Amino acid sequence: MRISLSLVDYAVIFIYFAFVIGVGWALKRSMKGSTDFLTAGRSLPAWITGLAFISANLGAQEVIGMAASGAKYGIMTSHFYWIGAIPAMVFLGLFMLPFYYGSKARSVPEYLKLRFDEKTRGFNAVSFAVMTVFSSGISMHALASLLRLLLGWQYDACIAVSAGIVLLYILLGGLSSAIYNEVLQFCLIVAGFAPLAYLALKDVGGWSALQAKLIPVATRHGYAPGTWTESWSHLGSANANPMGVEWFGLAMGLGFVASFGYWCTDFLVVQRALAANSLSAARRTPLIAAVPKMLFPALLIVPGMIAVALPAVAGHAFLPLAADGTPDYNMSIPALLARYFPAGLLGIGLTALIASFMSGMAGNVTAFNTVWTYDLYQSYIAPGRSDRHYLRMGQAATVFGVLLGVAAAYLAAAFNNIMDLLQLVFAFVNAPVFATFLLGMFWKRTTGHGAFFGLLAGTLSAALFHGLSLPASAVPGIKGGWVTPEFVFRSEMGQNFYIAIVAWTTCFVLTVLVSLATPRNKTDAELHGLVYSLTPRVASEAGEPWYKRPVLVGVIVLLATILLNILFR
Amino acid sequence: MSFDLRIAIGGLFTVYGTLLSLYGLLGDKSQYSRSLGLNVNLLWGMVLLAFGLCMLLIRRRVRKS
């Protein structure tokens, strides 16, 4: 599939490049110290950090992947946005940010150092830093492969231009520049994908016509007629839906362990909230982000569903075929862009795609340079230097972070298996982490040894359970079952959810046991502001207007999500 | 912060809105069969332009007060 661009489309793309660099340029003057560069000087209003929060998560894999899942699984994909994000975002805003923000920690690993000890911080900081480098590499690789396929652009040129622009605007304006551009990118993603969703839905004849057209898709795969358009009705058994999961695995694995583990502890997103100008603004950051998050299925998942509902054109299915002969679901968005967008709007649509890749990559780079500078360099390599020294190191980390990302992109291009393996290892490291934070924040008896060995055991148990389990269609190896395929799951997703549940439970139980067996390493005074029972309650915000009261906004967001789930049950 | 983000958002969308609307008015009109007969460049261009101008207006009002 090829898309040809006109002059006006190129103009749109170049104007975008000029603006993102311009934003960095305009912020250059305010980069005076390392905190300006790496933490945005804690000076941004809630609407900016809130939109950046959601934008940093809207990376490459997200936009392409969610549309692909919409095509593959239907509206059930929305669980990744509803149960798999909103409750955790509300929990972060209401219960966790008072400790993150109030402790003055500059990063999530630094919070672990304050709350527990050095080894727990080190474990988290090193694994996180490695992960961000590879994520930005995978993001770049995905963008360059897609542009090469769609537009016939050169792979190397795509990597060089996307890496170069992100590097330039972060180097100029630091985290503020990344955050400002994420808001710009968010607006562009909406501006590019909203007309696409509208045209596609209009063409297919509206929501009820789409429901009717997806009935044969469901029955052809052997499922009940409404499977593609009902999100809860087919979760009774893993055999009844294309995701191959049942409600317990979904609610616990995705809704609790994976979701809270990502949204509440991943520094990539938490960093946006920490850049807010007050505790109240920090708490409202994920709540503001939750509003677009709950509506994004309309922009990303519904177009994917339409892509499988559209009739074949001249004997060819609407979606192009992948190498193995099945429809290439990852092409849902590009195929719709090519079908509906005339020159002009096509430029906006492609810019939206490029913007989503850049925001995801910039999020990784800014999280990496902060963790490297504060948690690794300042803590272990060169403590006690001047702030100017750390500012220079932050800038240098931005450069080598991007360069390492480029190297990772070429690694991904050359050895697909290495990337699969790495992502697996990251999943093992991430799975248990929320148990550590939960116990750390709400149980003052949790000790440093408890946290560290709980995390370690959780990670190892994830790897072990992976070795004991296997998706039904796979052979033992990278997909699992390398010890013995004791537990067979209907799908890889179902397997992943249970790996997360096992890792979390192991970490939780072991952290409690080891903590009870070891003496406390922090006094009550040291834990002031870090643990729930030892922190004064947030002052009442009764005098503020309703939209500035986090608890009220949080409740509204949750109610709206429940309503959406009922509407699309 | 020395620089107001609303300038960048307002500026970008004002430029995009103007460009798309003009292209919709003056450019090749035969291509709109693919967008279901709608001149989406003109329509969406005007929406983007209105959004961009709103941002710039808010910025001006905030600055005055």
PDB file of all heavy atoms in Angstrom, chain A residues 12 16 19 43 180 187 191 199 203 338-345, chain B residues 1 3 8 11-13 16 20 23 31-32 34-36 40-41 44:
ATOM      1  N   VAL A  12       2.403  21.032   5.443  1.00  0.00           N
ATOM      2  CA  VAL A  12       1.839  20.791   6.778  1.00  0.00           C
ATOM      3  C   VAL A  12       2.884  20.130   7.681  1.00  0.00           C
ATOM      4  O   VAL A  12       3.091  20.532   8.831  1.00  0.00           O
ATOM      5  CB  VAL A  12       0.569  19.916   6.672  1.00  0.00           C
ATOM      6  CG1 VAL A  12       0.138  19.420   8.048  1.00  0.00           C
ATOM      7  CG2 VAL A  12      -0.559  20.700   6.022  1.00  0.00           C
ATOM      8  N   TYR A  16       4.855  21.788  11.069  1.00  0.00           N
ATOM      9  CA  TYR A  16       4.870  21.125  12.380  1.00  0.00           C
ATOM     10  C   TYR A  16       6.297  21.050  12.936  1.00  0.00           C
ATOM     11  O   TYR A  16       6.550  21.400  14.095  1.00  0.00           O
ATOM     12  CB  TYR A  16       4.258  19.731  12.269  1.00  0.00           C
ATOM     13  CG  TYR A  16       4.496  18.878  13.490  1.00  0.00           C
ATOM     14  CD1 TYR A  16       3.867  19.185  14.698  1.00  0.00           C
ATOM     15  CD2 TYR A  16       5.365  17.791  13.457  1.00  0.00           C
ATOM     16  CE1 TYR A  16       4.100  18.429  15.827  1.00  0.00           C
ATOM     17  CE2 TYR A  16       5.600  17.028  14.583  1.00  0.00           C
ATOM     18  CZ  TYR A  16       4.966  17.349  15.766  1.00  0.00           C
ATOM     19  OH  TYR A  16       5.221  16.607  16.884  1.00  0.00           O
ATOM     20  N   PHE A  19       7.392  24.365  14.243  1.00  0.00           N
ATOM     21  CA  PHE A  19       6.778  24.756  15.517  1.00  0.00           C
ATOM     22  C   PHE A  19       7.367  24.018  16.712  1.00  0.00           C
ATOM     23  O   PHE A  19       7.604  24.623  17.744  1.00  0.00           O
ATOM     24  CB  PHE A  19       5.254  24.553  15.466  1.00  0.00           C
ATOM     25  CG  PHE A  19       4.513  25.799  15.109  1.00  0.00           C
ATOM     26  CD1 PHE A  19       4.324  26.164  13.785  1.00  0.00           C
ATOM     27  CD2 PHE A  19       4.008  26.634  16.103  1.00  0.00           C
ATOM     28  CE1 PHE A  19       3.659  27.323  13.458  1.00  0.00           C
ATOM     29  CE2 PHE A  19       3.340  27.797  15.785  1.00  0.00           C
ATOM     30  CZ  PHE A  19       3.163  28.139  14.459  1.00  0.00           C
ATOM     31  N   SER A  43       6.726  24.180  37.626  1.00  0.00           N
ATOM     32  CA  SER A  43       6.123  25.498  37.394  1.00  0.00           C
ATOM     33  C   SER A  43       4.924  25.463  36.463  1.00  0.00           C
ATOM     34  O   SER A  43       4.427  26.504  36.075  1.00  0.00           O
ATOM     35  CB  SER A  43       7.190  26.404  36.780  1.00  0.00           C
ATOM     36  OG  SER A  43       7.587  25.849  35.542  1.00  0.00           O
ATOM     37  N   TYR A 180       5.499  20.874  26.768  1.00  0.00           N
ATOM     38  CA  TYR A 180       4.764  21.800  25.889  1.00  0.00           C
ATOM     39  C   TYR A 180       4.476  21.137  24.550  1.00  0.00           C
ATOM     40  O   TYR A 180       3.376  21.221  24.015  1.00  0.00           O
ATOM     41  CB  TYR A 180       5.581  23.077  25.670  1.00  0.00           C
ATOM     42  CG  TYR A 180       5.400  24.127  26.730  1.00  0.00           C
ATOM     43  CD1 TYR A 180       4.975  23.780  28.008  1.00  0.00           C
ATOM     44  CD2 TYR A 180       5.631  25.476  26.472  1.00  0.00           C
ATOM     45  CE1 TYR A 180       4.803  24.736  28.988  1.00  0.00           C
ATOM     46  CE2 TYR A 180       5.458  26.440  27.449  1.00  0.00           C
ATOM     47  CZ  TYR A 180       5.053  26.080  28.698  1.00  0.00           C
ATOM     48  OH  TYR A 180       4.873  27.029  29.665  1.00  0.00           O
ATOM     49  N   CYS A 187      -3.067  17.953  20.768  1.00  0.00           N
ATOM     50  CA  CYS A 187      -4.044  18.685  19.949  1.00  0.00           C
ATOM     51  C   CYS A 187      -4.017  18.174  18.508  1.00  0.00           C
ATOM     52  O   CYS A 187      -5.053  18.022  17.866  1.00  0.00           O
ATOM     53  CB  CYS A 187      -3.746  20.183  19.956  1.00  0.00           C
ATOM     54  SG  CYS A 187      -3.899  20.930  21.578  1.00  0.00           S
ATOM     55  N   ALA A 191      -6.824  16.564  16.175  1.00  0.00           N
ATOM     56  CA  ALA A 191      -7.142  17.243  14.910  1.00  0.00           C
ATOM     57  C   ALA A 191      -6.995  16.299  13.720  1.00  0.00           C
ATOM     58  O   ALA A 191      -7.693  16.440  12.724  1.00  0.00           O
ATOM     59  CB  ALA A 191      -6.241  18.459  14.729  1.00  0.00           C
ATOM     60  N   LEU A 199     -15.491  10.464   9.301  1.00  0.00           N
ATOM     61  CA  LEU A 199     -15.736  10.043   7.912  1.00  0.00           C
ATOM     62  C   LEU A 199     -15.961   8.533   7.819  1.00  0.00           C
ATOM     63  O   LEU A 199     -16.866   8.072   7.117  1.00  0.00           O
ATOM     64  CB  LEU A 199     -14.561  10.453   7.010  1.00  0.00           C
ATOM     65  CG  LEU A 199     -14.442  11.941   6.675  1.00  0.00           C
ATOM     66  CD1 LEU A 199     -13.154  12.203   5.897  1.00  0.00           C
ATOM     67  CD2 LEU A 199     -15.641  12.421   5.867  1.00  0.00           C
ATOM     68  N   ASP A 203     -19.354   6.793   6.645  1.00  0.00           N
ATOM     69  CA  ASP A 203     -19.356   5.940   5.470  1.00  0.00           C
ATOM     70  C   ASP A 203     -19.990   4.583   5.763  1.00  0.00           C
ATOM     71  O   ASP A 203     -20.722   4.029   4.942  1.00  0.00           O
ATOM     72  CB  ASP A 203     -17.912   5.749   4.979  1.00  0.00           C
ATOM     73  CG  ASP A 203     -17.865   5.053   3.629  1.00  0.00           C
ATOM     74  OD1 ASP A 203     -18.803   5.269   2.840  1.00  0.00           O
ATOM     75  OD2 ASP A 203     -16.904   4.308   3.376  1.00  0.00           O
ATOM     76  N   ALA A 338      -5.537   6.633   3.877  1.00  0.00           N
ATOM     77  CA  ALA A 338      -5.410   6.611   2.416  1.00  0.00           C
ATOM     78  C   ALA A 338      -6.779   6.610   1.750  1.00  0.00           C
ATOM     79  O   ALA A 338      -6.963   7.187   0.686  1.00  0.00           O
ATOM     80  CB  ALA A 338      -4.621   5.368   1.988  1.00  0.00           C
ATOM     81  N   ARG A 339      -7.751   5.979   2.383  1.00  0.00           N
ATOM     82  CA  ARG A 339      -9.060   5.859   1.757  1.00  0.00           C
ATOM     83  C   ARG A 339      -9.863   7.161   1.810  1.00  0.00           C
ATOM     84  O   ARG A 339     -10.508   7.533   0.837  1.00  0.00           O
ATOM     85  CB  ARG A 339      -9.833   4.756   2.468  1.00  0.00           C
ATOM     86  CG  ARG A 339     -11.307   4.771   2.186  1.00  0.00           C
ATOM     87  CD  ARG A 339     -11.714   3.516   1.467  1.00  0.00           C
ATOM     88  NE  ARG A 339     -13.144   3.375   1.373  1.00  0.00           N
ATOM     89  CZ  ARG A 339     -13.758   2.218   1.252  1.00  0.00           C
ATOM     90  NH1 ARG A 339     -13.055   1.121   1.250  1.00  0.00           N
ATOM     91  NH2 ARG A 339     -15.051   2.161   1.140  1.00  0.00           N
ATOM     92  N   TYR A 340      -9.851   7.857   2.962  1.00  0.00           N
ATOM     93  CA  TYR A 340     -10.787   8.971   3.146  1.00  0.00           C
ATOM     94  C   TYR A 340     -10.172  10.363   3.014  1.00  0.00           C
ATOM     95  O   TYR A 340     -10.884  11.330   2.802  1.00  0.00           O
ATOM     96  CB  TYR A 340     -11.468   8.876   4.514  1.00  0.00           C
ATOM     97  CG  TYR A 340     -12.377   7.680   4.634  1.00  0.00           C
ATOM     98  CD1 TYR A 340     -12.081   6.638   5.513  1.00  0.00           C
ATOM     99  CD2 TYR A 340     -13.523   7.589   3.857  1.00  0.00           C
ATOM    100  CE1 TYR A 340     -12.914   5.538   5.610  1.00  0.00           C
ATOM    101  CE2 TYR A 340     -14.361   6.488   3.954  1.00  0.00           C
ATOM    102  CZ  TYR A 340     -14.053   5.470   4.828  1.00  0.00           C
ATOM    103  OH  TYR A 340     -14.871   4.390   4.922  1.00  0.00           O
ATOM    104  N   PHE A 341      -8.881  10.518   3.270  1.00  0.00           N
ATOM    105  CA  PHE A 341      -8.319  11.870   3.364  1.00  0.00           C
ATOM    106  C   PHE A 341      -7.809  12.380   2.020  1.00  0.00           C
ATOM    107  O   PHE A 341      -6.943  11.753   1.400  1.00  0.00           O
ATOM    108  CB  PHE A 341      -7.193  11.909   4.398  1.00  0.00           C
ATOM    109  CG  PHE A 341      -7.679  12.103   5.801  1.00  0.00           C
ATOM    110  CD1 PHE A 341      -9.032  12.003   6.113  1.00  0.00           C
ATOM    111  CD2 PHE A 341      -6.785  12.398   6.831  1.00  0.00           C
ATOM    112  CE1 PHE A 341      -9.493  12.181   7.411  1.00  0.00           C
ATOM    113  CE2 PHE A 341      -7.238  12.582   8.136  1.00  0.00           C
ATOM    114  CZ  PHE A 341      -8.581  12.469   8.420  1.00  0.00           C
ATOM    115  N   PRO A 342      -8.309  13.532   1.574  1.00  0.00           N
ATOM    116  CA  PRO A 342      -7.763  14.170   0.383  1.00  0.00           C
ATOM    117  C   PRO A 342      -6.454  14.883   0.732  1.00  0.00           C
ATOM    118  O   PRO A 342      -6.138  15.053   1.918  1.00  0.00           O
ATOM    119  CB  PRO A 342      -8.836  15.189   0.018  1.00  0.00           C
ATOM    120  CG  PRO A 342      -9.460  15.550   1.318  1.00  0.00           C
ATOM    121  CD  PRO A 342      -9.399  14.311   2.174  1.00  0.00           C
ATOM    122  N   ALA A 343      -5.695  15.282  -0.272  1.00  0.00           N
ATOM    123  CA  ALA A 343      -4.483  16.075  -0.029  1.00  0.00           C
ATOM    124  C   ALA A 343      -4.869  17.248   0.858  1.00  0.00           C
ATOM    125  O   ALA A 343      -5.964  17.788   0.756  1.00  0.00           O
ATOM    126  CB  ALA A 343      -3.914  16.582  -1.347  1.00  0.00           C
ATOM    127  N   GLY A 344      -3.976  17.655   1.746  1.00  0.00           N
ATOM    128  CA  GLY A 344      -4.311  18.716   2.688  1.00  0.00           C
ATOM    129  C   GLY A 344      -4.594  18.091   4.041  1.00  0.00           C
ATOM    130  O   GLY A 344      -3.733  18.068   4.919  1.00  0.00           O
ATOM    131  N   LEU A 345      -5.785  17.507   4.166  1.00  0.00           N
ATOM    132  CA  LEU A 345      -6.112  16.811   5.404  1.00  0.00           C
ATOM    133  C   LEU A 345      -5.196  15.607   5.610  1.00  0.00           C
ATOM    134  O   LEU A 345      -4.865  15.250   6.741  1.00  0.00           O
ATOM    135  CB  LEU A 345      -7.580  16.366   5.370  1.00  0.00           C
ATOM    136  CG  LEU A 345      -8.242  16.107   6.729  1.00  0.00           C
ATOM    137  CD1 LEU A 345      -8.089  17.299   7.651  1.00  0.00           C
ATOM    138  CD2 LEU A 345      -9.712  15.752   6.568  1.00  0.00           C
TER     139      LEU A 345
ATOM    140  N   MET B   1       7.055  30.946  34.152  1.00  0.00           N
ATOM    141  CA  MET B   1       7.533  30.531  32.834  1.00  0.00           C
ATOM    142  C   MET B   1       7.398  31.702  31.871  1.00  0.00           C
ATOM    143  O   MET B   1       6.366  32.366  31.829  1.00  0.00           O
ATOM    144  CB  MET B   1       6.726  29.317  32.388  1.00  0.00           C
ATOM    145  CG  MET B   1       7.260  28.567  31.191  1.00  0.00           C
ATOM    146  SD  MET B   1       8.900  27.831  31.320  1.00  0.00           S
ATOM    147  CE  MET B   1       8.804  26.947  32.887  1.00  0.00           C
ATOM    148  N   PHE B   3       7.216  31.860  28.711  1.00  0.00           N
ATOM    149  CA  PHE B   3       6.625  31.661  27.401  1.00  0.00           C
ATOM    150  C   PHE B   3       5.278  30.959  27.559  1.00  0.00           C
ATOM    151  O   PHE B   3       5.164  29.981  28.268  1.00  0.00           O
ATOM    152  CB  PHE B   3       7.586  30.817  26.562  1.00  0.00           C
ATOM    153  CG  PHE B   3       6.985  30.282  25.301  1.00  0.00           C
ATOM    154  CD1 PHE B   3       6.634  31.137  24.265  1.00  0.00           C
ATOM    155  CD2 PHE B   3       6.768  28.922  25.146  1.00  0.00           C
ATOM    156  CE1 PHE B   3       6.088  30.634  23.106  1.00  0.00           C
ATOM    157  CE2 PHE B   3       6.219  28.418  23.989  1.00  0.00           C
ATOM    158  CZ  PHE B   3       5.874  29.276  22.964  1.00  0.00           C
ATOM    159  N   ALA B   8       1.842  29.090  21.026  1.00  0.00           N
ATOM    160  CA  ALA B   8       2.272  28.047  20.091  1.00  0.00           C
ATOM    161  C   ALA B   8       1.071  27.286  19.539  1.00  0.00           C
ATOM    162  O   ALA B   8       0.971  27.066  18.323  1.00  0.00           O
ATOM    163  CB  ALA B   8       3.237  27.085  20.788  1.00  0.00           C
ATOM    164  N   GLY B  11      -0.959  29.674  17.382  1.00  0.00           N
ATOM    165  CA  GLY B  11      -0.240  29.964  16.143  1.00  0.00           C
ATOM    166  C   GLY B  11      -0.306  28.806  15.166  1.00  0.00           C
ATOM    167  O   GLY B  11      -0.653  28.971  13.996  1.00  0.00           O
ATOM    168  N   LEU B  12       0.012  27.597  15.671  1.00  0.00           N
ATOM    169  CA  LEU B  12       0.041  26.426  14.795  1.00  0.00           C
ATOM    170  C   LEU B  12      -1.320  26.186  14.153  1.00  0.00           C
ATOM    171  O   LEU B  12      -1.426  25.970  12.944  1.00  0.00           O
ATOM    172  CB  LEU B  12       0.469  25.185  15.583  1.00  0.00           C
ATOM    173  CG  LEU B  12       0.561  23.888  14.766  1.00  0.00           C
ATOM    174  CD1 LEU B  12       1.676  23.969  13.737  1.00  0.00           C
ATOM    175  CD2 LEU B  12       0.791  22.679  15.665  1.00  0.00           C
ATOM    176  N   PHE B  13      -2.383  26.266  14.956  1.00  0.00           N
ATOM    177  CA  PHE B  13      -3.701  25.942  14.396  1.00  0.00           C
ATOM    178  C   PHE B  13      -4.253  27.076  13.535  1.00  0.00           C
ATOM    179  O   PHE B  13      -5.024  26.812  12.607  1.00  0.00           O
ATOM    180  CB  PHE B  13      -4.662  25.505  15.503  1.00  0.00           C
ATOM    181  CG  PHE B  13      -4.416  24.076  15.909  1.00  0.00           C
ATOM    182  CD1 PHE B  13      -3.543  23.775  16.950  1.00  0.00           C
ATOM    183  CD2 PHE B  13      -4.988  23.043  15.203  1.00  0.00           C
ATOM    184  CE1 PHE B  13      -3.267  22.465  17.295  1.00  0.00           C
ATOM    185  CE2 PHE B  13      -4.722  21.729  15.531  1.00  0.00           C
ATOM    186  CZ  PHE B  13      -3.856  21.436  16.590  1.00  0.00           C
ATOM    187  N   TYR B  16      -2.452  26.292  10.257  1.00  0.00           N
ATOM    188  CA  TYR B  16      -3.043  25.100   9.646  1.00  0.00           C
ATOM    189  C   TYR B  16      -4.446  25.374   9.119  1.00  0.00           C
ATOM    190  O   TYR B  16      -4.811  24.958   8.023  1.00  0.00           O
ATOM    191  CB  TYR B  16      -3.105  23.958  10.659  1.00  0.00           C
ATOM    192  CG  TYR B  16      -1.843  23.129  10.740  1.00  0.00           C
ATOM    193  CD1 TYR B  16      -1.654  22.209  11.760  1.00  0.00           C
ATOM    194  CD2 TYR B  16      -0.839  23.258   9.783  1.00  0.00           C
ATOM    195  CE1 TYR B  16      -0.502  21.443  11.850  1.00  0.00           C
ATOM    196  CE2 TYR B  16       0.319  22.505   9.862  1.00  0.00           C
ATOM    197  CZ  TYR B  16       0.475  21.597  10.906  1.00  0.00           C
ATOM    198  OH  TYR B  16       1.612  20.834  10.989  1.00  0.00           O
ATOM    199  N   LEU B  20      -5.440  25.031   5.208  1.00  0.00           N
ATOM    200  CA  LEU B  20      -6.422  24.042   4.760  1.00  0.00           C
ATOM    201  C   LEU B  20      -7.633  24.715   4.108  1.00  0.00           C
ATOM    202  O   LEU B  20      -8.121  24.262   3.065  1.00  0.00           O
ATOM    203  CB  LEU B  20      -6.907  23.192   5.938  1.00  0.00           C
ATOM    204  CG  LEU B  20      -6.108  21.973   6.354  1.00  0.00           C
ATOM    205  CD1 LEU B  20      -6.947  21.080   7.252  1.00  0.00           C
ATOM    206  CD2 LEU B  20      -5.615  21.179   5.173  1.00  0.00           C
ATOM    207  N   TYR B  23      -6.674  26.005   0.709  1.00  0.00           N
ATOM    208  CA  TYR B  23      -6.506  24.877  -0.203  1.00  0.00           C
ATOM    209  C   TYR B  23      -7.868  24.290  -0.574  1.00  0.00           C
ATOM    210  O   TYR B  23      -8.099  23.898  -1.714  1.00  0.00           O
ATOM    211  CB  TYR B  23      -5.605  23.818   0.430  1.00  0.00           C
ATOM    212  CG  TYR B  23      -5.284  22.677  -0.502  1.00  0.00           C
ATOM    213  CD1 TYR B  23      -4.413  22.857  -1.562  1.00  0.00           C
ATOM    214  CD2 TYR B  23      -5.863  21.429  -0.325  1.00  0.00           C
ATOM    215  CE1 TYR B  23      -4.129  21.828  -2.431  1.00  0.00           C
ATOM    216  CE2 TYR B  23      -5.582  20.386  -1.187  1.00  0.00           C
ATOM    217  CZ  TYR B  23      -4.707  20.585  -2.237  1.00  0.00           C
ATOM    218  OH  TYR B  23      -4.432  19.560  -3.087  1.00  0.00           O
ATOM    219  N   GLN B  31     -11.009  15.679  -5.893  1.00  0.00           N
ATOM    220  CA  GLN B  31     -10.541  14.649  -4.966  1.00  0.00           C
ATOM    221  C   GLN B  31     -11.490  14.426  -3.791  1.00  0.00           C
ATOM    222  O   GLN B  31     -11.282  13.506  -3.003  1.00  0.00           O
ATOM    223  CB  GLN B  31      -9.150  15.005  -4.457  1.00  0.00           C
ATOM    224  CG  GLN B  31      -9.077  16.378  -3.839  1.00  0.00           C
ATOM    225  CD  GLN B  31      -7.756  16.595  -3.107  1.00  0.00           C
ATOM    226  OE1 GLN B  31      -7.060  15.652  -2.798  1.00  0.00           O
ATOM    227  NE2 GLN B  31      -7.424  17.841  -2.831  1.00  0.00           N
ATOM    228  N   TYR B  32     -12.562  15.254  -3.669  1.00  0.00           N
ATOM    229  CA  TYR B  32     -13.415  15.098  -2.496  1.00  0.00           C
ATOM    230  C   TYR B  32     -14.395  13.954  -2.617  1.00  0.00           C
ATOM    231  O   TYR B  32     -15.181  13.710  -1.707  1.00  0.00           O
ATOM    232  CB  TYR B  32     -14.118  16.416  -2.157  1.00  0.00           C
ATOM    233  CG  TYR B  32     -13.117  17.474  -1.788  1.00  0.00           C
ATOM    234  CD1 TYR B  32     -12.988  18.646  -2.511  1.00  0.00           C
ATOM    235  CD2 TYR B  32     -12.243  17.240  -0.730  1.00  0.00           C
ATOM    236  CE1 TYR B  32     -12.015  19.574  -2.193  1.00  0.00           C
ATOM    237  CE2 TYR B  32     -11.264  18.154  -0.402  1.00  0.00           C
ATOM    238  CZ  TYR B  32     -11.151  19.325  -1.142  1.00  0.00           C
ATOM    239  OH  TYR B  32     -10.179  20.229  -0.812  1.00  0.00           O
ATOM    240  N   ARG B  34     -13.515  10.953  -2.456  1.00  0.00           N
ATOM    241  CA  ARG B  34     -13.061   9.981  -1.468  1.00  0.00           C
ATOM    242  C   ARG B  34     -13.515  10.358  -0.056  1.00  0.00           C
ATOM    243  O   ARG B  34     -13.697   9.496   0.790  1.00  0.00           O
ATOM    244  CB  ARG B  34     -11.544   9.825  -1.525  1.00  0.00           C
ATOM    245  CG  ARG B  34     -10.785  11.038  -1.020  1.00  0.00           C
ATOM    246  CD  ARG B  34      -9.351  10.717  -0.774  1.00  0.00           C
ATOM    247  NE  ARG B  34      -8.683  10.248  -2.003  1.00  0.00           N
ATOM    248  CZ  ARG B  34      -7.414   9.938  -2.064  1.00  0.00           C
ATOM    249  NH1 ARG B  34      -6.689   9.997  -0.981  1.00  0.00           N
ATOM    250  NH2 ARG B  34      -6.864   9.567  -3.188  1.00  0.00           N
ATOM    251  N   SER B  35     -13.690  11.668   0.202  1.00  0.00           N
ATOM    252  CA  SER B  35     -14.164  12.056   1.528  1.00  0.00           C
ATOM    253  C   SER B  35     -15.680  12.219   1.518  1.00  0.00           C
ATOM    254  O   SER B  35     -16.214  13.151   2.101  1.00  0.00           O
ATOM    255  CB  SER B  35     -13.455  13.319   2.008  1.00  0.00           C
ATOM    256  OG  SER B  35     -13.569  14.343   1.026  1.00  0.00           O
ATOM    257  N   LEU B  36     -16.369  11.312   0.848  1.00  0.00           N
ATOM    258  CA  LEU B  36     -17.836  11.237   0.819  1.00  0.00           C
ATOM    259  C   LEU B  36     -18.464  12.515   0.286  1.00  0.00           C
ATOM    260  O   LEU B  36     -19.537  12.919   0.719  1.00  0.00           O
ATOM    261  CB  LEU B  36     -18.393  10.934   2.227  1.00  0.00           C
ATOM    262  CG  LEU B  36     -17.669   9.840   3.034  1.00  0.00           C
ATOM    263  CD1 LEU B  36     -18.271   9.721   4.418  1.00  0.00           C
ATOM    264  CD2 LEU B  36     -17.712   8.511   2.310  1.00  0.00           C
ATOM    265  N   VAL B  40     -13.724  18.447   2.972  1.00  0.00           N
ATOM    266  CA  VAL B  40     -13.251  18.377   4.363  1.00  0.00           C
ATOM    267  C   VAL B  40     -12.115  19.356   4.631  1.00  0.00           C
ATOM    268  O   VAL B  40     -11.931  19.781   5.773  1.00  0.00           O
ATOM    269  CB  VAL B  40     -12.802  16.952   4.745  1.00  0.00           C
ATOM    270  CG1 VAL B  40     -13.988  16.093   5.090  1.00  0.00           C
ATOM    271  CG2 VAL B  40     -11.975  16.312   3.660  1.00  0.00           C
ATOM    272  N   ASN B  41     -11.362  19.723   3.599  1.00  0.00           N
ATOM    273  CA  ASN B  41     -10.290  20.684   3.834  1.00  0.00           C
ATOM    274  C   ASN B  41     -10.862  22.016   4.282  1.00  0.00           C
ATOM    275  O   ASN B  41     -10.394  22.610   5.252  1.00  0.00           O
ATOM    276  CB  ASN B  41      -9.465  20.870   2.562  1.00  0.00           C
ATOM    277  CG  ASN B  41      -8.486  19.727   2.362  1.00  0.00           C
ATOM    278  OD1 ASN B  41      -8.059  19.097   3.330  1.00  0.00           O
ATOM    279  ND2 ASN B  41      -8.158  19.443   1.121  1.00  0.00           N
ATOM    280  N   TRP B  44     -12.972  21.350   7.908  1.00  0.00           N
ATOM    281  CA  TRP B  44     -12.099  21.102   9.060  1.00  0.00           C
ATOM    282  C   TRP B  44     -11.089  22.241   9.213  1.00  0.00           C
ATOM    283  O   TRP B  44     -10.707  22.593  10.325  1.00  0.00           O
ATOM    284  CB  TRP B  44     -11.408  19.745   8.924  1.00  0.00           C
ATOM    285  CG  TRP B  44     -10.800  19.235  10.190  1.00  0.00           C
ATOM    286  CD1 TRP B  44      -9.487  18.969  10.402  1.00  0.00           C
ATOM    287  CD2 TRP B  44     -11.475  18.947  11.421  1.00  0.00           C
ATOM    288  NE1 TRP B  44      -9.290  18.539  11.686  1.00  0.00           N
ATOM    289  CE2 TRP B  44     -10.496  18.516  12.344  1.00  0.00           C
ATOM    290  CE3 TRP B  44     -12.805  19.037  11.853  1.00  0.00           C
ATOM    291  CZ2 TRP B  44     -10.801  18.155  13.656  1.00  0.00           C
ATOM    292  CZ3 TRP B  44     -13.108  18.675  13.162  1.00  0.00           C
ATOM    293  CH2 TRP B  44     -12.119  18.246  14.044  1.00  0.00           C
TER     294      TRP B  44
END
